[in-house]
Amino acid sequence: MSPLSSVSSRPSRPWSRIACTAGLAMVLGLSGAFGPFVSVAHAATAETTAELDRLTEQVAQAQTTHSDAIARAIELNDQIAQQADEILHLEQDVMPVYRERAAEAASRLYKMHETSGNIISLLFSASSFSDFITQMKYLNAIQDDNASVLADLEEASAELNAKLAELTQAKDDALSEEQKAAEALDQVSAAQAALEERAASEDAAEAEAARKAADEAAAIQAQMQQQYEQTSAATESADDVISQQPEQDPAQDATESETPQESEPAPETPQDSSSDSESGWMTGVASHYGTGDGLMGSLTASGEPVTETSMCIAMLDVPLGTKVEIRYGGKTVVACVNDRGPYAHGRVIDMQPAVARALDFISVGVGTVEYRIL
């Protein structure tokens, strides 16, 4: 039998569609109401964040400048110390030696003049004129050499002192730059701290606005849920009215003609069922829905959707939430009544997909089952 033959004549539920439409309209209204406020909060935060990023970059640059100035001052200080050491070495170790040599040479020259008398005596004491010239050149060379060395040492000392003064001035300039860099770093750091405090305040304000929006949305959702429950109650009432005026399912005639005689419902009752008073078991005609009929996902009378795993059934006169045990083909399942139906003449139970599959009833479509109310 084709699965299409199991489709029940289920009335549409205009109240459910109205409730869904109203809910969608309210949600869209909420989006329009809360959207601008949230956008403004994000815009303000973005502006603050951009300014904070700019100040953070300035802080990094100021830190680099300050570090470079400190490094330059340290380097110049090392050079000054080295230069001072060179000057000290020249003045304490080198120059005294050459001064002593010059003094000794002068002393020897003086003694030679005393012993020799004068240049004439030196001339007469020389073995030859050539020897005299040699002695004179020797004396002059000693004097010139000592004088030259002393002059070079004096010049080197002057250069070292000039270099020391230059390095000292450079160090003072570097310390001044370091001070300026430190002041600039303090300024941008203070501005950064103030902006971070402002950003934190804006974040707190945005979070508070989001919380209020969520509270308002929750309140509206609760109101919509209440309206939905009222709509469901109205829908159930409408279903009860429709159930009092059942319509003959055109597919039922063909189905009943193919069903064995012993499973056909009695014509005089709209719901053919027989009961065993001792065990509570009854028999009746059942069908299924939610597979291939476009009703998958539709809302039941209890507000639950029809799903592939729905272990529920529809019955007309059994309270919602009642447990019903069903037997068919040697298999037994327990299902819950959460919907109203079937509205086809002579049927007692309309199974949802999971119940029909558990009883291997999908391919049957319409057939007689045993059931009892638990």
Side-chain angles (χ1 to χ4, degrees):
M1 180 180 296
S2 170
L4 293 177
S5 63
S6 64
V7 177
S8 306
S9 299
R10 305 183 61 79
S12 62
R13 294 185 171 89
W15 289 101
S16 299
R17 289 197 297 271
I18 292 173
C20 292
T21 304
L24 179 60
M26 295 181 73
V27 170
L28 292 176
L30 283 175
S31 301
F34 298 140
F37 178 80
V38 175
S39 298
V40 170
H42 278 292
T45 302
E47 179 182 354
T48 302
T49 301
E51 187 175 354
L52 185 59
D53 291 341
R54 181 179 60 81
L55 281 178
T56 301
E57 184 177 354
Q58 290 183 359
V59 168
Q61 293 176 352
Q63 288 175 338
T64 301
T65 302
H66 183 249
S67 299
D68 292 344
I70 293 176
R72 177 60 178 165
I74 293 174
E75 179 184 0
L76 289 172
N77 192 63
D78 292 340
Q79 292 180 9
I80 289 173
Q82 182 180 359
Q83 198 77 6
D85 290 341
E86 292 180 5
I87 293 174
L88 184 63
H89 172 68
L90 181 64
E91 292 179 347
Q92 292 185 354
D93 299 332
V94 179
M95 292 185 69
V97 172
Y98 281 94
R99 286 194 180 99
E100 184 177 354
R101 289 179 183 177
E104 290 177 355
S107 177
R108 285 196 301 270
L109 184 61
Y110 175 75
K111 289 180 180 179
M112 184 180 65
H113 280 295
E114 281 187 343
T115 56
S116 300
N118 49 34
I119 296 178
I120 296 175
S121 299
L122 181 62
L123 177 62
F124 286 120
S125 64
S127 58
S128 64
F129 184 74
S130 176
D131 184 34
F132 170 75
I133 295 300
T134 300
Q135 290 186 24
M136 288 298 295
K137 287 182 177 180
Y138 175 72
L139 292 174
N140 290 332
I142 291 175
Q143 287 181 330
D144 292 343
D145 182 65
N146 288 331
S148 176
V149 170
L150 289 175
D152 290 342
L153 290 175
E154 293 293 341
E155 183 179 356
S157 177
E159 290 180 356
L160 289 174
N161 282 295
K163 183 64 175 178
L164 179 62
E166 180 182 348
L167 290 174
T168 302
Q169 182 61 44
K171 176 186 175 182
D172 292 340
D173 294 341
L175 291 175
S176 177
E177 291 297 325
E178 186 272 335
Q179 181 64 28
K180 292 179 181 178
E183 292 175 356
L185 178 60
D186 291 341
Q187 290 177 356
V188 294
S189 296
Q192 182 187 34
L195 196 58
E196 287 176 348
E197 183 178 356
R198 170 182 158 189
S201 177
E202 289 181 353
D203 289 341
E206 184 177 358
E208 178 64 17
R211 185 191 64 78
K212 290 182 179 179
D215 291 344
E216 293 180 7
I220 293 177
Q221 184 178 6
Q223 183 180 1
M224 291 174 61
Q225 179 65 26
Q226 183 180 4
Q227 292 177 353
Y228 169 76
E229 292 174 355
Q230 294 174 353
T231 302
S232 297
T235 302
E236 184 175 348
S237 177
D239 288 344
D240 292 339
V241 173
I242 295 174
S243 66
Q244 296 176 5
Q245 299 176 354
E247 298 179 359
Q248 180 67 32
D249 186 0
Q252 177 65 20
D253 294 337
T255 302
E256 291 177 353
S257 64
E258 298 175 5
T259 306
Q261 184 65 30
E262 61 273 13
S263 63
E264 292 183 357
E268 65 274 12
T269 58
Q271 294 184 356
D272 184 18
S273 64
S274 60
S275 63
D276 184 344
S277 59
E278 294 181 358
S279 62
W281 284 97
M282 296 175 283
T283 59
V285 178
S287 57
H288 67 85
Y289 68 101
T291 302
D293 54 9
L295 294 176
M296 177 62 67
S298 62
L299 294 180
T300 62
S302 63
E304 300 171 347
V306 177
T307 67
E308 290 288 349
T309 59
S310 299
M311 286 296 293
C312 299
I313 59 175
M315 298 186 75
L316 285 175
D317 52 1
V318 177
L320 297 177
T322 302
K323 301 292 184 181
V324 179
E325 187 175 6
I326 306 172
R327 290 193 307 207
Y328 179 81
K331 297 184 178 181
T332 303
V333 298
V334 176
C336 178
V337 178
N338 75 338
D339 203 1
R340 292 305 181 198
Y343 298 106
H345 178 70
R347 300 184 191 180
V348 180
I349 296 174
D350 213 358
M351 307 177 196
Q352 293 178 24
V355 179
R357 280 196 300 271
L359 295 174
D360 288 337
F361 201 81
I362 295 293
S363 60
V364 176
V366 178
T368 301
V369 299
E370 294 180 286
Y371 68 97
R372 65 174 177 176
I373 308 299
L374 298 180

